[in-house]
Amino acid sequence: MVQIDKISLPDFPLLLAPMEDVSDPPFRAICKENGADLMYTEFISSEGLIRDAINCRRKLDIFEYERPVGIQIFGGDEDSLAMASKIVEVTNPDLLDINFGCPVKKVAGAGAGAGVLKDIDLMVRLTAACVKATNLPVTVKTRLGWDEDSKNIEEVAERLQDVGIKALAIHGRTRSQMYKGEADWTLIGKVKNNPRIKIPIFGNGDIDSPQKALEYKNRYGVDGVMIGRAAIGYPWIFREIKHFVQTGEVLPGPTVAERVAVCKQHLHGAIKWQNQRVGINEMRGRYANYLKGLPNIKEFKSRLVRLNEVEEVEEVLDEIFRTYQGFEIEHTPIELIDYHQNCPL
């Protein structure tokens, strides 16, 4: 069992990474059903929370069925992060996470997210401010360093543990790499195996199959893995990893019926969370990922993204089910998208 303060997680827990414009409540509900053990909200600007920005406040929405769930914030000012921590605490999540890993220019260039990797003393002060401001357990997600010449994650892990964080998730790339190249888990393993480190260490980056998850578990000794891009359009990755780690058997991929059912579930979840117009619009960018691998699916997708009524969308989804019923999609490692290119920031 893995402990984050008083939060008990199973052995080798699977975490859903916080992803802007992805990790919203409808998507989190689907990932939870498929085996995600701990999930995070989309990241929230500390300044936006303080200004009462409506988009930021909406991201605070969490539901009982999601627990344990963490709310993630970002910022580069101690007072703002401390105040945002107090606001977050009122919504009663299970933990508060600080984002020191977002590489997007709009965030990092403003001295937040991965931009804080340039100043480790500032990172420590920001973290300490959050720990002091809230009774929630505080965790951090970050990267190896700013660039190849400043991979300081070993120092960062020790110093953040010293000021009171309860767990650390590490993405195996620098900020300069963005999402290019292959994630390097060597330093993640060094952090985990540092005798000074007592908090759980979660690895993140390029987990695209159950086989790789188990391989990295055994090779680097991490307490669990955080999955981001591989879950986009493929929430079944959680159940497949769990089954493989426990049995050594590879589960068959989701059937066409499961894919269509998840499209409908996500659609209705998005509408319930917001409204019909916004929910239908937001789903237009999701169908392609859920239906990936079906031959000659382009015509159906082009129809789905033009529809404005729930009943019409469901009719097309039912037609997809009838057309492809019994078709088996080849089960291959998931193609990881360049999330930076698709991030709305």
Side-chain angles (χ1 to χ4, degrees), residues 43-77:
F43 72 168
I44 304 171
S45 163
S46 57
E47 300 286 351
L49 272 184
I50 294 167
R51 291 195 309 269
D52 198 23
I54 188 167
N55 285 339
C56 291
R57 290 283 178 162
R58 189 182 62 181
K59 291 178 182 178
L60 291 173
D61 289 346
I62 56 173
F63 302 90
E64 285 302 311
Y65 60 77
E66 299 183 86
R67 296 191 185 278
V69 61
I71 290 177
Q72 189 188 69
I73 59 175
F74 73 95
D77 177 80

PDB file of all heavy atoms in Angstrom, residues 43-77:
ATOM      1  N   PHE A  43      -4.979  22.021 -14.426  1.00  0.00           N
ATOM      2  CA  PHE A  43      -4.302  22.946 -13.522  1.00  0.00           C
ATOM      3  C   PHE A  43      -4.982  24.309 -13.537  1.00  0.00           C
ATOM      4  O   PHE A  43      -5.598  24.721 -14.511  1.00  0.00           O
ATOM      5  CB  PHE A  43      -2.807  23.002 -13.783  1.00  0.00           C
ATOM      6  CG  PHE A  43      -2.353  23.706 -15.035  1.00  0.00           C
ATOM      7  CD1 PHE A  43      -1.005  24.003 -15.198  1.00  0.00           C
ATOM      8  CD2 PHE A  43      -3.209  24.062 -16.045  1.00  0.00           C
ATOM      9  CE1 PHE A  43      -0.542  24.637 -16.336  1.00  0.00           C
ATOM     10  CE2 PHE A  43      -2.755  24.708 -17.182  1.00  0.00           C
ATOM     11  CZ  PHE A  43      -1.420  25.000 -17.317  1.00  0.00           C
ATOM     12  N   ILE A  44      -4.887  24.985 -12.390  1.00  0.00           N
ATOM     13  CA  ILE A  44      -5.646  26.205 -12.150  1.00  0.00           C
ATOM     14  C   ILE A  44      -4.685  27.326 -11.768  1.00  0.00           C
ATOM     15  O   ILE A  44      -3.832  27.170 -10.903  1.00  0.00           O
ATOM     16  CB  ILE A  44      -6.670  25.995 -11.014  1.00  0.00           C
ATOM     17  CG1 ILE A  44      -7.592  24.807 -11.338  1.00  0.00           C
ATOM     18  CG2 ILE A  44      -7.493  27.259 -10.788  1.00  0.00           C
ATOM     19  CD1 ILE A  44      -8.487  24.400 -10.171  1.00  0.00           C
ATOM     20  N   SER A  45      -4.845  28.458 -12.395  1.00  0.00           N
ATOM     21  CA  SER A  45      -4.008  29.616 -12.099  1.00  0.00           C
ATOM     22  C   SER A  45      -4.340  30.177 -10.726  1.00  0.00           C
ATOM     23  O   SER A  45      -5.506  30.445 -10.411  1.00  0.00           O
ATOM     24  CB  SER A  45      -4.233  30.701 -13.163  1.00  0.00           C
ATOM     25  OG  SER A  45      -3.756  31.959 -12.720  1.00  0.00           O
ATOM     26  N   SER A  46      -3.316  30.367  -9.904  1.00  0.00           N
ATOM     27  CA  SER A  46      -3.542  30.958  -8.580  1.00  0.00           C
ATOM     28  C   SER A  46      -4.080  32.380  -8.724  1.00  0.00           C
ATOM     29  O   SER A  46      -4.986  32.781  -7.985  1.00  0.00           O
ATOM     30  CB  SER A  46      -2.242  30.955  -7.777  1.00  0.00           C
ATOM     31  OG  SER A  46      -1.213  31.654  -8.462  1.00  0.00           O
ATOM     32  N   GLU A  47      -3.565  33.128  -9.681  1.00  0.00           N
ATOM     33  CA  GLU A  47      -4.036  34.497  -9.899  1.00  0.00           C
ATOM     34  C   GLU A  47      -5.493  34.495 -10.349  1.00  0.00           C
ATOM     35  O   GLU A  47      -6.302  35.330  -9.941  1.00  0.00           O
ATOM     36  CB  GLU A  47      -3.160  35.196 -10.950  1.00  0.00           C
ATOM     37  CG  GLU A  47      -1.687  35.299 -10.581  1.00  0.00           C
ATOM     38  CD  GLU A  47      -1.430  36.335  -9.505  1.00  0.00           C
ATOM     39  OE1 GLU A  47      -2.365  37.102  -9.168  1.00  0.00           O
ATOM     40  OE2 GLU A  47      -0.302  36.391  -8.988  1.00  0.00           O
ATOM     41  N   GLY A  48      -5.846  33.531 -11.226  1.00  0.00           N
ATOM     42  CA  GLY A  48      -7.222  33.444 -11.696  1.00  0.00           C
ATOM     43  C   GLY A  48      -8.198  33.129 -10.580  1.00  0.00           C
ATOM     44  O   GLY A  48      -9.302  33.680 -10.522  1.00  0.00           O
ATOM     45  N   LEU A  49      -7.793  32.226  -9.679  1.00  0.00           N
ATOM     46  CA  LEU A  49      -8.651  31.903  -8.543  1.00  0.00           C
ATOM     47  C   LEU A  49      -8.904  33.129  -7.671  1.00  0.00           C
ATOM     48  O   LEU A  49     -10.032  33.373  -7.230  1.00  0.00           O
ATOM     49  CB  LEU A  49      -8.007  30.811  -7.699  1.00  0.00           C
ATOM     50  CG  LEU A  49      -8.281  29.354  -8.069  1.00  0.00           C
ATOM     51  CD1 LEU A  49      -7.629  28.437  -7.050  1.00  0.00           C
ATOM     52  CD2 LEU A  49      -9.773  29.080  -8.148  1.00  0.00           C
ATOM     53  N   ILE A  50      -7.857  33.874  -7.439  1.00  0.00           N
ATOM     54  CA  ILE A  50      -7.985  35.056  -6.582  1.00  0.00           C
ATOM     55  C   ILE A  50      -8.870  36.112  -7.243  1.00  0.00           C
ATOM     56  O   ILE A  50      -9.682  36.768  -6.581  1.00  0.00           O
ATOM     57  CB  ILE A  50      -6.593  35.629  -6.256  1.00  0.00           C
ATOM     58  CG1 ILE A  50      -5.818  34.619  -5.403  1.00  0.00           C
ATOM     59  CG2 ILE A  50      -6.707  36.971  -5.541  1.00  0.00           C
ATOM     60  CD1 ILE A  50      -4.358  34.928  -5.280  1.00  0.00           C
ATOM     61  N   ARG A  51      -8.778  36.236  -8.566  1.00  0.00           N
ATOM     62  CA  ARG A  51      -9.613  37.195  -9.300  1.00  0.00           C
ATOM     63  C   ARG A  51     -11.036  36.681  -9.478  1.00  0.00           C
ATOM     64  O   ARG A  51     -11.892  37.375 -10.012  1.00  0.00           O
ATOM     65  CB  ARG A  51      -9.028  37.470 -10.692  1.00  0.00           C
ATOM     66  CG  ARG A  51      -7.723  38.244 -10.697  1.00  0.00           C
ATOM     67  CD  ARG A  51      -7.444  38.763 -12.098  1.00  0.00           C
ATOM     68  NE  ARG A  51      -7.546  37.711 -13.103  1.00  0.00           N
ATOM     69  CZ  ARG A  51      -6.530  36.957 -13.515  1.00  0.00           C
ATOM     70  NH1 ARG A  51      -5.328  37.131 -12.983  1.00  0.00           N
ATOM     71  NH2 ARG A  51      -6.702  36.041 -14.445  1.00  0.00           N
ATOM     72  N   ASP A  52     -11.283  35.416  -9.086  1.00  0.00           N
ATOM     73  CA  ASP A  52     -12.595  34.795  -9.256  1.00  0.00           C
ATOM     74  C   ASP A  52     -12.913  34.589 -10.730  1.00  0.00           C
ATOM     75  O   ASP A  52     -14.062  34.691 -11.150  1.00  0.00           O
ATOM     76  CB  ASP A  52     -13.690  35.634  -8.588  1.00  0.00           C
ATOM     77  CG  ASP A  52     -14.962  34.827  -8.360  1.00  0.00           C
ATOM     78  OD1 ASP A  52     -14.868  33.585  -8.300  1.00  0.00           O
ATOM     79  OD2 ASP A  52     -16.032  35.437  -8.272  1.00  0.00           O
ATOM     80  N   ALA A  53     -11.887  34.304 -11.526  1.00  0.00           N
ATOM     81  CA  ALA A  53     -12.103  34.029 -12.946  1.00  0.00           C
ATOM     82  C   ALA A  53     -12.994  32.805 -13.083  1.00  0.00           C
ATOM     83  O   ALA A  53     -12.731  31.758 -12.488  1.00  0.00           O
ATOM     84  CB  ALA A  53     -10.766  33.801 -13.639  1.00  0.00           C
ATOM     85  N   ILE A  54     -14.051  32.913 -13.871  1.00  0.00           N
ATOM     86  CA  ILE A  54     -15.074  31.869 -13.927  1.00  0.00           C
ATOM     87  C   ILE A  54     -14.515  30.540 -14.405  1.00  0.00           C
ATOM     88  O   ILE A  54     -14.883  29.474 -13.905  1.00  0.00           O
ATOM     89  CB  ILE A  54     -16.272  32.318 -14.800  1.00  0.00           C
ATOM     90  CG1 ILE A  54     -17.405  31.300 -14.677  1.00  0.00           C
ATOM     91  CG2 ILE A  54     -15.853  32.516 -16.252  1.00  0.00           C
ATOM     92  CD1 ILE A  54     -18.718  31.811 -15.239  1.00  0.00           C
ATOM     93  N   ASN A  55     -13.606  30.564 -15.380  1.00  0.00           N
ATOM     94  CA  ASN A  55     -13.041  29.306 -15.884  1.00  0.00           C
ATOM     95  C   ASN A  55     -12.215  28.610 -14.816  1.00  0.00           C
ATOM     96  O   ASN A  55     -12.208  27.378 -14.725  1.00  0.00           O
ATOM     97  CB  ASN A  55     -12.192  29.556 -17.129  1.00  0.00           C
ATOM     98  CG  ASN A  55     -13.054  29.829 -18.351  1.00  0.00           C
ATOM     99  OD1 ASN A  55     -14.229  29.470 -18.381  1.00  0.00           O
ATOM    100  ND2 ASN A  55     -12.469  30.472 -19.358  1.00  0.00           N
ATOM    101  N   CYS A  56     -11.503  29.395 -14.016  1.00  0.00           N
ATOM    102  CA  CYS A  56     -10.703  28.806 -12.947  1.00  0.00           C
ATOM    103  C   CYS A  56     -11.598  28.214 -11.869  1.00  0.00           C
ATOM    104  O   CYS A  56     -11.352  27.110 -11.374  1.00  0.00           O
ATOM    105  CB  CYS A  56      -9.774  29.853 -12.345  1.00  0.00           C
ATOM    106  SG  CYS A  56      -8.453  30.389 -13.466  1.00  0.00           S
ATOM    107  N   ARG A  57     -12.635  28.923 -11.497  1.00  0.00           N
ATOM    108  CA  ARG A  57     -13.540  28.430 -10.462  1.00  0.00           C
ATOM    109  C   ARG A  57     -14.226  27.134 -10.899  1.00  0.00           C
ATOM    110  O   ARG A  57     -14.430  26.229 -10.092  1.00  0.00           O
ATOM    111  CB  ARG A  57     -14.596  29.494 -10.141  1.00  0.00           C
ATOM    112  CG  ARG A  57     -14.036  30.709  -9.419  1.00  0.00           C
ATOM    113  CD  ARG A  57     -13.796  30.413  -7.958  1.00  0.00           C
ATOM    114  NE  ARG A  57     -13.213  31.558  -7.270  1.00  0.00           N
ATOM    115  CZ  ARG A  57     -13.218  31.714  -5.959  1.00  0.00           C
ATOM    116  NH1 ARG A  57     -13.768  30.797  -5.193  1.00  0.00           N
ATOM    117  NH2 ARG A  57     -12.655  32.768  -5.416  1.00  0.00           N
ATOM    118  N   ARG A  58     -14.571  27.055 -12.172  1.00  0.00           N
ATOM    119  CA  ARG A  58     -15.244  25.853 -12.667  1.00  0.00           C
ATOM    120  C   ARG A  58     -14.344  24.632 -12.543  1.00  0.00           C
ATOM    121  O   ARG A  58     -14.812  23.515 -12.324  1.00  0.00           O
ATOM    122  CB  ARG A  58     -15.651  26.061 -14.131  1.00  0.00           C
ATOM    123  CG  ARG A  58     -16.555  24.969 -14.684  1.00  0.00           C
ATOM    124  CD  ARG A  58     -16.871  25.219 -16.129  1.00  0.00           C
ATOM    125  NE  ARG A  58     -15.658  25.198 -16.927  1.00  0.00           N
ATOM    126  CZ  ARG A  58     -15.634  25.416 -18.241  1.00  0.00           C
ATOM    127  NH1 ARG A  58     -16.735  25.698 -18.882  1.00  0.00           N
ATOM    128  NH2 ARG A  58     -14.496  25.361 -18.906  1.00  0.00           N
ATOM    129  N   LYS A  59     -13.045  24.828 -12.663  1.00  0.00           N
ATOM    130  CA  LYS A  59     -12.113  23.708 -12.567  1.00  0.00           C
ATOM    131  C   LYS A  59     -12.015  23.147 -11.146  1.00  0.00           C
ATOM    132  O   LYS A  59     -11.424  22.093 -10.938  1.00  0.00           O
ATOM    133  CB  LYS A  59     -10.720  24.135 -13.041  1.00  0.00           C
ATOM    134  CG  LYS A  59     -10.640  24.407 -14.538  1.00  0.00           C
ATOM    135  CD  LYS A  59      -9.246  24.875 -14.922  1.00  0.00           C
ATOM    136  CE  LYS A  59      -9.142  25.207 -16.389  1.00  0.00           C
ATOM    137  NZ  LYS A  59      -7.798  25.703 -16.750  1.00  0.00           N
ATOM    138  N   LEU A  60     -12.589  23.852 -10.187  1.00  0.00           N
ATOM    139  CA  LEU A  60     -12.599  23.353  -8.813  1.00  0.00           C
ATOM    140  C   LEU A  60     -13.669  22.286  -8.593  1.00  0.00           C
ATOM    141  O   LEU A  60     -13.716  21.682  -7.530  1.00  0.00           O
ATOM    142  CB  LEU A  60     -12.839  24.506  -7.827  1.00  0.00           C
ATOM    143  CG  LEU A  60     -11.710  25.532  -7.675  1.00  0.00           C
ATOM    144  CD1 LEU A  60     -12.188  26.690  -6.802  1.00  0.00           C
ATOM    145  CD2 LEU A  60     -10.465  24.901  -7.076  1.00  0.00           C
ATOM    146  N   ASP A  61     -14.514  22.065  -9.582  1.00  0.00           N
ATOM    147  CA  ASP A  61     -15.590  21.081  -9.428  1.00  0.00           C
ATOM    148  C   ASP A  61     -15.018  19.680  -9.258  1.00  0.00           C
ATOM    149  O   ASP A  61     -14.316  19.163 -10.137  1.00  0.00           O
ATOM    150  CB  ASP A  61     -16.497  21.084 -10.663  1.00  0.00           C
ATOM    151  CG  ASP A  61     -17.346  22.341 -10.764  1.00  0.00           C
ATOM    152  OD1 ASP A  61     -17.429  23.077  -9.773  1.00  0.00           O
ATOM    153  OD2 ASP A  61     -17.924  22.576 -11.843  1.00  0.00           O
ATOM    154  N   ILE A  62     -15.307  19.059  -8.126  1.00  0.00           N
ATOM    155  CA  ILE A  62     -14.949  17.662  -7.889  1.00  0.00           C
ATOM    156  C   ILE A  62     -16.166  16.951  -7.317  1.00  0.00           C
ATOM    157  O   ILE A  62     -17.069  17.592  -6.771  1.00  0.00           O
ATOM    158  CB  ILE A  62     -13.743  17.511  -6.941  1.00  0.00           C
ATOM    159  CG1 ILE A  62     -14.006  18.216  -5.609  1.00  0.00           C
ATOM    160  CG2 ILE A  62     -12.460  18.023  -7.595  1.00  0.00           C
ATOM    161  CD1 ILE A  62     -12.930  17.976  -4.575  1.00  0.00           C
ATOM    162  N   PHE A  63     -16.190  15.631  -7.441  1.00  0.00           N
ATOM    163  CA  PHE A  63     -17.357  14.858  -7.052  1.00  0.00           C
ATOM    164  C   PHE A  63     -16.926  13.677  -6.190  1.00  0.00           C
ATOM    165  O   PHE A  63     -15.795  13.189  -6.309  1.00  0.00           O
ATOM    166  CB  PHE A  63     -18.112  14.394  -8.295  1.00  0.00           C
ATOM    167  CG  PHE A  63     -18.553  15.541  -9.168  1.00  0.00           C
ATOM    168  CD1 PHE A  63     -17.739  16.023 -10.190  1.00  0.00           C
ATOM    169  CD2 PHE A  63     -19.769  16.164  -8.943  1.00  0.00           C
ATOM    170  CE1 PHE A  63     -18.128  17.101 -10.980  1.00  0.00           C
ATOM    171  CE2 PHE A  63     -20.176  17.237  -9.723  1.00  0.00           C
ATOM    172  CZ  PHE A  63     -19.354  17.714 -10.744  1.00  0.00           C
ATOM    173  N   GLU A  64     -17.832  13.215  -5.345  1.00  0.00           N
ATOM    174  CA  GLU A  64     -17.498  12.179  -4.378  1.00  0.00           C
ATOM    175  C   GLU A  64     -16.968  10.904  -5.039  1.00  0.00           C
ATOM    176  O   GLU A  64     -16.076  10.246  -4.510  1.00  0.00           O
ATOM    177  CB  GLU A  64     -18.713  11.853  -3.507  1.00  0.00           C
ATOM    178  CG  GLU A  64     -19.014  12.908  -2.444  1.00  0.00           C
ATOM    179  CD  GLU A  64     -17.833  13.123  -1.500  1.00  0.00           C
ATOM    180  OE1 GLU A  64     -17.284  12.116  -0.996  1.00  0.00           O
ATOM    181  OE2 GLU A  64     -17.457  14.284  -1.287  1.00  0.00           O
ATOM    182  N   TYR A  65     -17.532  10.542  -6.202  1.00  0.00           N
ATOM    183  CA  TYR A  65     -17.117   9.287  -6.843  1.00  0.00           C
ATOM    184  C   TYR A  65     -15.680   9.338  -7.346  1.00  0.00           C
ATOM    185  O   TYR A  65     -15.102   8.318  -7.712  1.00  0.00           O
ATOM    186  CB  TYR A  65     -18.071   8.920  -7.982  1.00  0.00           C
ATOM    187  CG  TYR A  65     -18.145   9.951  -9.095  1.00  0.00           C
ATOM    188  CD1 TYR A  65     -17.130  10.060 -10.050  1.00  0.00           C
ATOM    189  CD2 TYR A  65     -19.233  10.800  -9.200  1.00  0.00           C
ATOM    190  CE1 TYR A  65     -17.192  11.002 -11.056  1.00  0.00           C
ATOM    191  CE2 TYR A  65     -19.310  11.740 -10.212  1.00  0.00           C
ATOM    192  CZ  TYR A  65     -18.288  11.840 -11.139  1.00  0.00           C
ATOM    193  OH  TYR A  65     -18.355  12.773 -12.154  1.00  0.00           O
ATOM    194  N   GLU A  66     -15.095  10.534  -7.411  1.00  0.00           N
ATOM    195  CA  GLU A  66     -13.731  10.666  -7.925  1.00  0.00           C
ATOM    196  C   GLU A  66     -12.673  10.363  -6.860  1.00  0.00           C
ATOM    197  O   GLU A  66     -11.509  10.138  -7.205  1.00  0.00           O
ATOM    198  CB  GLU A  66     -13.483  12.088  -8.424  1.00  0.00           C
ATOM    199  CG  GLU A  66     -14.367  12.531  -9.554  1.00  0.00           C
ATOM    200  CD  GLU A  66     -13.986  13.918 -10.022  1.00  0.00           C
ATOM    201  OE1 GLU A  66     -13.083  14.006 -10.874  1.00  0.00           O
ATOM    202  OE2 GLU A  66     -14.569  14.908  -9.527  1.00  0.00           O
ATOM    203  N   ARG A  67     -13.024  10.410  -5.618  1.00  0.00           N
ATOM    204  CA  ARG A  67     -12.017  10.366  -4.559  1.00  0.00           C
ATOM    205  C   ARG A  67     -11.215   9.064  -4.576  1.00  0.00           C
ATOM    206  O   ARG A  67     -11.768   8.009  -4.880  1.00  0.00           O
ATOM    207  CB  ARG A  67     -12.698  10.562  -3.202  1.00  0.00           C
ATOM    208  CG  ARG A  67     -13.338  11.942  -3.067  1.00  0.00           C
ATOM    209  CD  ARG A  67     -13.770  12.212  -1.646  1.00  0.00           C
ATOM    210  NE  ARG A  67     -14.473  13.477  -1.538  1.00  0.00           N
ATOM    211  CZ  ARG A  67     -13.867  14.674  -1.450  1.00  0.00           C
ATOM    212  NH1 ARG A  67     -12.556  14.740  -1.454  1.00  0.00           N
ATOM    213  NH2 ARG A  67     -14.569  15.780  -1.356  1.00  0.00           N
ATOM    214  N   PRO A  68      -9.908   9.204  -4.226  1.00  0.00           N
ATOM    215  CA  PRO A  68      -9.201  10.443  -3.902  1.00  0.00           C
ATOM    216  C   PRO A  68      -8.891  11.267  -5.155  1.00  0.00           C
ATOM    217  O   PRO A  68      -8.534  10.720  -6.194  1.00  0.00           O
ATOM    218  CB  PRO A  68      -7.910   9.958  -3.241  1.00  0.00           C
ATOM    219  CG  PRO A  68      -7.667   8.620  -3.843  1.00  0.00           C
ATOM    220  CD  PRO A  68      -9.024   8.020  -4.089  1.00  0.00           C
ATOM    221  N   VAL A  69      -9.023  12.577  -5.005  1.00  0.00           N
ATOM    222  CA  VAL A  69      -8.793  13.488  -6.129  1.00  0.00           C
ATOM    223  C   VAL A  69      -8.044  14.711  -5.620  1.00  0.00           C
ATOM    224  O   VAL A  69      -8.266  15.177  -4.492  1.00  0.00           O
ATOM    225  CB  VAL A  69     -10.135  13.891  -6.793  1.00  0.00           C
ATOM    226  CG1 VAL A  69     -11.029  14.624  -5.808  1.00  0.00           C
ATOM    227  CG2 VAL A  69      -9.903  14.713  -8.048  1.00  0.00           C
ATOM    228  N   GLY A  70      -7.135  15.215  -6.442  1.00  0.00           N
ATOM    229  CA  GLY A  70      -6.351  16.385  -6.078  1.00  0.00           C
ATOM    230  C   GLY A  70      -6.637  17.554  -7.001  1.00  0.00           C
ATOM    231  O   GLY A  70      -6.943  17.364  -8.187  1.00  0.00           O
ATOM    232  N   ILE A  71      -6.559  18.741  -6.465  1.00  0.00           N
ATOM    233  CA  ILE A  71      -6.682  19.958  -7.269  1.00  0.00           C
ATOM    234  C   ILE A  71      -5.289  20.526  -7.466  1.00  0.00           C
ATOM    235  O   ILE A  71      -4.523  20.683  -6.513  1.00  0.00           O
ATOM    236  CB  ILE A  71      -7.602  20.988  -6.590  1.00  0.00           C
ATOM    237  CG1 ILE A  71      -9.054  20.479  -6.633  1.00  0.00           C
ATOM    238  CG2 ILE A  71      -7.495  22.352  -7.259  1.00  0.00           C
ATOM    239  CD1 ILE A  71     -10.050  21.372  -5.925  1.00  0.00           C
ATOM    240  N   GLN A  72      -4.949  20.823  -8.724  1.00  0.00           N
ATOM    241  CA  GLN A  72      -3.612  21.312  -9.024  1.00  0.00           C
ATOM    242  C   GLN A  72      -3.643  22.806  -9.346  1.00  0.00           C
ATOM    243  O   GLN A  72      -4.505  23.270 -10.099  1.00  0.00           O
ATOM    244  CB  GLN A  72      -2.995  20.572 -10.216  1.00  0.00           C
ATOM    245  CG  GLN A  72      -1.517  20.910 -10.396  1.00  0.00           C
ATOM    246  CD  GLN A  72      -0.917  20.356 -11.676  1.00  0.00           C
ATOM    247  OE1 GLN A  72      -1.249  20.812 -12.762  1.00  0.00           O
ATOM    248  NE2 GLN A  72      -0.031  19.380 -11.536  1.00  0.00           N
ATOM    249  N   ILE A  73      -2.708  23.546  -8.762  1.00  0.00           N
ATOM    250  CA  ILE A  73      -2.607  24.976  -9.011  1.00  0.00           C
ATOM    251  C   ILE A  73      -1.207  25.306  -9.515  1.00  0.00           C
ATOM    252  O   ILE A  73      -0.278  24.514  -9.376  1.00  0.00           O
ATOM    253  CB  ILE A  73      -2.909  25.805  -7.740  1.00  0.00           C
ATOM    254  CG1 ILE A  73      -1.945  25.449  -6.600  1.00  0.00           C
ATOM    255  CG2 ILE A  73      -4.361  25.599  -7.310  1.00  0.00           C
ATOM    256  CD1 ILE A  73      -2.128  26.327  -5.357  1.00  0.00           C
ATOM    257  N   PHE A  74      -1.082  26.478 -10.120  1.00  0.00           N
ATOM    258  CA  PHE A  74       0.239  26.944 -10.545  1.00  0.00           C
ATOM    259  C   PHE A  74       0.328  28.449 -10.339  1.00  0.00           C
ATOM    260  O   PHE A  74      -0.688  29.148 -10.274  1.00  0.00           O
ATOM    261  CB  PHE A  74       0.517  26.577 -12.006  1.00  0.00           C
ATOM    262  CG  PHE A  74      -0.268  27.387 -13.016  1.00  0.00           C
ATOM    263  CD1 PHE A  74       0.279  28.524 -13.606  1.00  0.00           C
ATOM    264  CD2 PHE A  74      -1.547  26.996 -13.394  1.00  0.00           C
ATOM    265  CE1 PHE A  74      -0.450  29.264 -14.539  1.00  0.00           C
ATOM    266  CE2 PHE A  74      -2.280  27.721 -14.332  1.00  0.00           C
ATOM    267  CZ  PHE A  74      -1.724  28.860 -14.906  1.00  0.00           C
ATOM    268  N   GLY A  75       1.566  28.921 -10.221  1.00  0.00           N
ATOM    269  CA  GLY A  75       1.805  30.346 -10.049  1.00  0.00           C
ATOM    270  C   GLY A  75       3.245  30.587  -9.657  1.00  0.00           C
ATOM    271  O   GLY A  75       3.973  29.643  -9.317  1.00  0.00           O
ATOM    272  N   GLY A  76       3.659  31.837  -9.679  1.00  0.00           N
ATOM    273  CA  GLY A  76       5.045  32.164  -9.366  1.00  0.00           C
ATOM    274  C   GLY A  76       5.200  33.149  -8.226  1.00  0.00           C
ATOM    275  O   GLY A  76       6.298  33.666  -7.995  1.00  0.00           O
ATOM    276  N   ASP A  77       4.099  33.412  -7.513  1.00  0.00           N
ATOM    277  CA  ASP A  77       4.139  34.373  -6.407  1.00  0.00           C
ATOM    278  C   ASP A  77       3.712  33.679  -5.115  1.00  0.00           C
ATOM    279  O   ASP A  77       2.674  33.005  -5.077  1.00  0.00           O
ATOM    280  CB  ASP A  77       3.192  35.544  -6.713  1.00  0.00           C
ATOM    281  CG  ASP A  77       3.134  36.542  -5.577  1.00  0.00           C
ATOM    282  OD1 ASP A  77       4.058  37.368  -5.470  1.00  0.00           O
ATOM    283  OD2 ASP A  77       2.165  36.482  -4.789  1.00  0.00           O
TER     284      ASP A  77
END
